[in-house]
Amino acid sequence: MGADAPTSRWGFRWFSVTTQLLLLVFLTGHTECWRPANGPAAGPTSTNIPNAGWMHRMRLDANYDVYWSINESEVTFEVQVRTLGYLVFGLSPSGHFHDADLIVGWVHNGRPRFQDRHGLANGGSSLDPQQDYDLIGAHENETHTVMRFRRKLVTCDDKDLNITVSTSWMMYAYSASDPLSDADISFSSNPHGSKPVYLMHRSQFADDELPADVKVWDLRNYQVSVPENEDTLHWCRIFKLPPLDRKHHMIRYEPVFTAGSQPFVHHMNVYECVGDPSVFEVLAATEGSRCYQPSMPPLFFNCNNVVVAWTAGSEGFTFPSEAGYPMNRAGGAKFFMLETHYDNPNLQSGIVDHSGLRLFYTSQLRHHDAGVLSVGIDPNWKHIVPPGQRRVVSEAHCVADCTQQALPSRGINVFAVNQHTHLLGRQVQLRHIRGDKELPALVDDANYDVHYQEYRQFQKPVNVLPGDHLISQCTYNSESRSTITLGGLSTREETCLAYLLYWPRVDLSLCYSLPSLATILHSLGIQELHPGSDPVRIKSPPELADQTVEERLITFDWDKNFHTFQEATRRGAFRPLCWGKTQALIDGSTAPDYYAPNVTQPLPEADPAVCAPRGTLPPRPATVAKTPHRKNVNGGAAGQSAVQRNRTVTTTTNAPVTVPAVSTTTTGSRVASITAGRPSLSPESNGQVNSGGQVASVWGQGASLNHEKVGPAPSSVVIETPLNDVLHLHNHTAAATQETTASQELSSRRASVMHNSSTAPPLASSFTIILIALCCTYNSVWASVSCSSRSL
């Protein structure tokens, strides 16, 4: 009796543990039809966050749509592609496949195939050793392949592109057929392309949210002939506001182009005008005239408060639900000016344009009146960009004295920013200084593209208080030029501007600065000028005596003196220019010299622990060995627990997720569509087989891939390989066999592991494993039947 007691107690404990495990697996299997590996935090599911809740959308071509939502730590994508073959989606810093972070996916015999890859210099691609994209779900119908997947913003993988506020490029390609090997995955031989995008700051779309009473006002040019002997034309036309009986809010604008003229339209701005209404009535009846020329009617200069700022590459802007731009407010502007900048670098002939802007407005007022504030360098020759330099920095200051005068005590809330340069711009920042402390920049784009100048919309408005100092900072690359570039209005000249959309609207229109004459002379080594000379001549130092300032600019040794010049212009004095709607608050022509603020508390550098060595991650349990590119049994993070079943993983986690897993509720309806006639992963479909069998049941059959480096598996441990493992292609010769099926791969892996095991598991453990496997099988069958029955 005494000798049998330990055995009895051990048997009882084993029976108790086994019973608890069976109960856990059984109950887990009945909680839901599917939840992804690395499961989302507890919270709403797709039934109450439908596909229309995506934060952003982009159409890459007529057959390829991308939707995404983003939070502080990760991004979730959905691609909808008109193909039954494979699709490619990627992110690139340059718009080229050779440096792109890619995924390749397709659905084969009702099962998804999904790979994290990267582009190669030879035009091909290679499988990433570290798989950082998690497939959430995928399906095909008669016309489309749809895939939803997610990844961390920063993956600490040098093969991936970190997702930041900088401009990136969406890469895409798709094929009519599934690949049989790596060699079949091609970009150039299939429909493909790229588009720039602000992944984190893209304006949210709201196609279905326009009020019922929305009205449209088109401000368009009429038969503007773009000169064939000039590369730049600025055209201005006056418009009268439509008759409105009360205040309305503009809530959206978008460009309208004449066919074929879009490449020649560089930017379009709309300004409010103040002045004699009778004169503006006459001007509004004309077709407009050249801007900023002696022939321009003087009253045109009274139109200087920006309402709309559209630049090349922009699709327009939709205001957030809390704000709109006021129209016909008490005492408000009744006349507006459209300024259009035409760029014709190749001097093409025969271009006649009717392009303009379409404004959407409503009588259903928002909570706040929005305004536009311009921060930048006053276009002038004193803004100098030296030639042949990889990095030239120019700074424009909106000084604390201006914001102190113009802003209310609670400040303004900036909800969107558009930064604008001409052809040499490569990086842009909108810095924010409060006292002697630098706050996080409103904009910090290290990968700026001059051909993509959309408004960036912030998820949370940024508060700018009275006394704050703003710096619009532009970095140029002038290596392509052999002569200096001066500030100005034409595309070949340079500029550095930021347009801030904010609420509540205040009496502040522009906040500019320009280097003082003394700063420019000092940067060129000039000590004194001859007073009253025309052209302006240098008096000292003696070695420059009697040269003109223009000659000094042309003959200056920029390679030798560039750093001295750069230091002098950035640290030297400047003149501010601060204008309200009708008058100058600070006049740059009479203002004293100002200097850049003394920042004693700079912005902290990025935390170096963000990408700590992967060996510092919590270790995996010693009883589970992993194979590359498989589901992560532990959910990939500390504190998570999971029970693996056939095609199902149930997890609990506190990690935030923007777009959760698709709901388990199903119906017999066809797959719903975000855009009319297009498929989506909607709560109604859930990817289940319908009565016709057209939609494969593939939810949960993708892979939540291993995020850790894979070490050698202990020979005595059974390697758990899920049935839904992703199959990776190999680049075989032309005589290679077809890809191995999942079941064959599973069988071969298990056979190999069991053959190499040095010891057999105890009988009790084997019995437990068999019971759990039977229970998992039962749960899988039950879940399938349950999900199918819900669709009846």
Side-chain angles (χ1 to χ4, degrees), residues 76-118:
T76 302
F77 292 101
E78 179 170 301
V79 293
Q80 303 176 9
V81 188
R82 185 182 293 274
T83 183
L84 300 183
Y86 69 86
L87 59 88
V88 179
F89 173 80
L91 301 173
S92 165
S94 65
H96 301 291
F97 278 104
H98 68 76
D99 60 3
D101 171 17
L102 304 169
I103 66 97
V104 178
W106 66 99
V107 177
H108 181 67
N109 292 333
R111 307 231 1 230
R113 302 290 185 263
F114 187 79
Q115 304 174 349
D116 181 2
R117 306 178 73 89
H118 61 273

Side-chain angles (χ1 to χ4, degrees), residues 289-308:
S289 66
R290 282 176 173 263
C291 311
Y292 318 121
Q293 300 290 322
S295 59
M296 178 177 173
L299 209 58
F300 276 42
F301 291 99
N302 286 19
C303 306
N304 52 35
N305 178 51
V306 177
V307 178
V308 172

Side-chain angles (χ1 to χ4, degrees), residues 45-57 66-69 76-80 136-137 139 146-149 205-209 658-663 670-675 678-687 699:
T45 63
S46 295
T47 52
N48 49 29
I49 300 183
N51 286 338
W54 290 107
M55 294 169 62
H56 310 286
R57 178 190 69 183
V66 181
Y67 297 79
W68 73 98
S69 290
T76 302
F77 292 101
E78 179 170 301
V79 293
Q80 303 176 9
I136 297 175
H139 77 262
V146 181
M147 288 195 162
R148 185 181 294 184
F149 47 91
F205 69 91
D207 286 347
D208 301 321
E209 298 179 7
T658 303
V659 180
V662 174
S663 165
R670 297 285 300 168
V671 179
S673 175
I674 298 174
T675 306
R678 304 191 68 79
S680 66
L681 301 183
S682 67
E684 290 77 13
S685 68
N686 200 26
W699 290 109

Side-chain angles (χ1 to χ4, degrees), residues 201 203 250-253 270 305-310 314 316-320 322-326 368-375 412-419 430 442-443 454-458 460-464 470 498-506 508-509:
H201 284 165
S203 175
M250 180 183 71
I251 57 174
R252 180 188 293 186
Y253 67 83
V270 177
N305 178 51
V306 177
V307 178
V308 172
W310 176 91
S314 172
F317 185 79
T318 298
F319 283 71
E322 70 269 18
Y325 193 92
H368 298 288
D369 284 351
V372 183
L373 171 62
S374 303
V375 176
I412 58 174
N413 298 283
V414 180
F415 59 85
V417 173
N418 180 4
Q419 288 204 259
L430 183 58
L442 280 76
V443 173
E454 282 274 21
Y455 262 105
R456 303 166 179 270
Q457 184 171 339
F458 307 142
K460 182 180 179 181
V462 178
N463 187 230
V464 177
L470 300 175
Y499 298 104
L500 286 64
L501 282 170
Y502 68 90
W503 56 261
R505 189 177 190 270
V506 298
L508 182 60
S509 176

